[in-house]
Amino acid sequence: MSAVATYVRLAWAWTRALAQYPASLAMLTAAQAVATVGELAALVFLFGHAGRLGGFGLHEALLVYGLAGLAFTLADLLMGSVERLGEHIRTGAFDVMLVRPVPALLQVAVEEFSPRRLGKVVPCAAALGWALAALPAEWTPLRAAAVPVLVASGTVICCSVWVIGACLQFVALDAREAANAVTYGGQAMAQYPLAVYGRDVARAATYVVPLAFVSWQPALYLLERPDPLGMPEWLRFAPPAVAALLALVAAAVWRAGLRRYRSTGS
Amino acid sequence: MEAVIEAEGLGKDYTVAEGPLPRRRRRRVSAVRDVSFRVAPGEVVGYLGPNGAGKSTTLKMLIGILAPSAGRVRVAGLEPVRARTRLARRIGVVFGQRTTLWWDLPLRDSLALTRHLYRVPRADHARRLAELTEVLELGPFLATPVRQLSLGQRMRGDLAAALLHAPEVLVLDEPTIGLDVVSKTAIREFLLRLNAERGTTILLTTHDLGDVQRLCRRVMVIDGGRLAFDGGLAGLHAVAPSPRTLVVDLAAPAAPIAVAGARTVRVEGPRQWLELNGNPARVIAQVAADHEVADITLREPDIEEVVHRIYAGR
Ligand SMILES: Nc1ncnc2c1ncn2[C@@H]1O[C@H](COP(=O)(O)OP(=O)(O)O)[C@@H](O)[C@H]1O
Ligand SMILES: [Mg+2]
């Protein structure tokens, strides 16, 4: 709990620093929102013309987009800064974090926290709301309760992938680009129904970088649809377990990275 | 007495990769080798050595940033790497070359955040902040964002941040680097007072013999990763007598100056270097009387010279 309080305290301090330039903050937030709305418009336009893609209609695709987008943008809001680990190591700022009595991962995650990232969260949440309102399946209490659980699981999965990617920078300070290919590339992919990409990609997204549990499997669960790629049915119940497991892996990788951390000269 | 800092056979190797990627070779560099020492509570110890000697590496092992490759270290009874965050509450750390303050926040906000990170009770924080604000004269720039502070102001802010949780041990890596004389003096006097009034143990690395002369009764000299000297400041002068140098700029080039109490060691056009072994005031007066002088500066010996002399004396 005290870690959460510390996070909020630091995030608030960064927010206040940014709020000294309210016009700039508002503009950056708006720019992020516009970019996301543009992406959404492209999706609507695509399905408006093609009707169905890979057996999925507009509302179903919106559901996938909303789940993926919301999880990714929340993860970006909360932990997006971890991708700058290498920079902190190079400048020695990471050494400073290590001598404070607060977990270093928390400090890296909250560094330069910016509410402008909410500009991406809100349109994604709206898309998800729209898709859920149009959901053909019947609403049961279980299904209603599942929505926040699935979003939380997706967020944890994204955060974990991000942390693991950032830990590459303990080994090679310039590994950011390589990690970004997986994190941002994965995000772009997970925003569309996996059926579009075919079996091999879907397998990789299930068993290697498990982004299928962020949007695809949760969507199949909420839509009560059989998996068009023929993967096991039980996978759609796995997101919370995958999230917990991946978080443990990320924590272990982070600790291993810290153990081999060698600071910087000077 | 029980030691607050204890190092035994401490060593650190770095593996550095060299050369272009396909044929990159790995080489081990021993930055610190077999270093042992104990520091008792209340001591002020100077940790000296030339650039690249292994000072920062040693400190990083003491504060838990780096795991030693060999040997053992304990600070305040804790094993630093294992108990890093617990140790952080009991020690203060200042890096001269980087700040622990938040760049974009006013100094006051940075110090307030520190209170939360270290979970200092509100009343204790208020009392210590008032004290530190007075002694370090932070008042005029408490509301200024850290990025707009001068180096000397920032360093005073950093000292306050490192001391708000009243640590038993203060570790400083080059705290006076790049500072002007006035700021240097202010920081030295502050550290002396801290040590005298609170009994805070202080370990500092420096390049500046002035720091050492003002602050440290004990010095440790490290060179090439090995401890070359550990003892009183007087002992250091005995093994490595390091005279001060008088740099004299004459109005015109002249023959080497001959004066009692100094020996001319170098002549370059109108500039001459005199190694002092007598009273500087008398020497300066004599030189000024004998020659037409444009400028005279008194230079303290630097650490490189002292270390060089330790080796030459062996
Ligand atoms: N992170 C690092 N990686 C590789 N070599 C390093 C690193 N840090 C320091 N070194 C090397 O170790 C030696 C000691 O460095 P350091 O402890 O920073 O010396 P000092 O603080 O006395 O100037 C130097 O040769 C330096 O190049
Ligand atoms: Mg150093």
Side-chain angles (χ1 to χ4, degrees), chain A residues 158-187:
Chain A
C158 295
C159 287
S160 304
V161 170
W162 239 306
V163 169
I164 294 169
C167 285
L168 284 177
Q169 299 178 34
F170 278 124
V171 186
L173 288 184
D174 45 8
R176 178 169 169 178
E177 304 300 321
N180 280 356
V182 175
T183 48
Y184 288 102
Q187 163 176 9

Side-chain angles (χ1 to χ4, degrees), chain B residues 18-262:
Chain B
E18 279 175 341
L21 204 47
R23 257 183 281 127
R24 189 174 275 194
R25 284 180 310 117
R26 292 177 160 275
R27 192 165 59 86
R28 279 176 93 73
V29 177
S30 287
V32 172
R33 287 183 253 191
D34 198 23
V35 165
S36 304
F37 60 85
R38 299 161 66 83
V39 177
E43 275 195 281
V44 182
V45 181
Y47 195 43
L48 323 182
N51 249 329
K55 303 181 296 292
S56 298
T57 302
T58 310
L59 292 196
K60 285 174 189 168
M61 289 190 280
L62 296 185
I63 61 185
I65 290 180
L66 287 179
S69 323
R72 208 176 78 79
V73 56
R74 286 183 91 75
V75 176
L78 298 169
E79 196 185 314
V81 171
R82 261 226 206 123
R84 196 186 72 239
T85 43
R86 213 142 42 94
L87 181 62
R89 288 183 196 288
R90 302 187 44 190
I91 60 173
V93 181
V94 174
F95 298 102
Q97 319 235 42
R98 47 195 73 126
T99 183
T100 52
L101 304 168
W102 283 264
W103 218 231
D104 302 291
L105 301 185
L107 178 58
R108 187 199 310 279
D109 292 17
S110 263
L111 297 177
L113 272 181
T114 305
R115 169 173 100 77
H116 293 289
L117 297 188
Y118 285 83
R119 288 198 239 128
V120 181
R122 191 181 287 277
D124 293 350
H125 177 83
R127 185 170 41 77
R128 284 182 208 135
L129 181 59
E131 262 173 42
L132 288 165
T133 301
E134 196 205 315
V135 185
L136 287 166
E137 294 173 29
L138 305 178
F141 49 90
L142 268 178
T144 311
V146 172
R147 66 164 72 257
Q148 292 169 19
L149 297 183
S150 74
L151 189 58
Q153 293 173 328
R154 205 213 73 204
M155 186 50 59
R156 285 186 273 157
D158 259 308
L159 269 173
L163 292 169
L164 277 169
H165 60 291
E168 315 153 45
V169 179
L170 182 61
V171 174
L172 308 112
D173 196 0
E174 314 242 11
T176 57
I177 194 162
L179 295 188
D180 59 273
V181 184
V182 178
S183 302
K184 267 187 193 176
T185 310
I187 283 175
R188 286 174 193 160
E189 297 312 312
F190 172 75
L191 291 176
L192 274 180
R193 191 167 157 183
L194 179 76
N195 173 255
E197 289 176 6
R198 316 234 151 224
T200 307
T201 310
I202 298 177
L203 177 63
L204 79 159
T205 75
T206 182
H207 252 94
D208 189 322
L209 271 192
D211 288 349
V212 179
Q213 268 149 1
R214 188 73 189 106
L215 288 172
C216 311
R217 270 149 290 179
R218 174 180 169 195
V219 292
M220 301 192 293
V221 178
I222 185 173
D223 191 44
R226 288 182 197 280
L227 215 50
F229 178 85
D230 182 355
L233 190 55
L236 183 64
H237 282 306
V239 294
S242 27
R244 289 183 288 182
T245 308
L246 208 57
V247 184
V248 181
D249 286 318
L250 297 172
I257 298 169
V259 60

Side-chain angles (χ1 to χ4, degrees), chain A residues 137-149:
Chain A
E138 203 176 313
W139 280 101
T140 62
L142 183 65
R143 200 184 302 279
V147 173
V149 172

Side-chain angles (χ1 to χ4, degrees), chain A residues 262-266, chain B residues 14 16 31 50-57:
Chain A
R262 27 181 283 172
S263 184
T264 182
S266 102
Chain B
Y14 292 110
V16 284
N51 249 329
K55 303 181 296 292
S56 298
T57 302

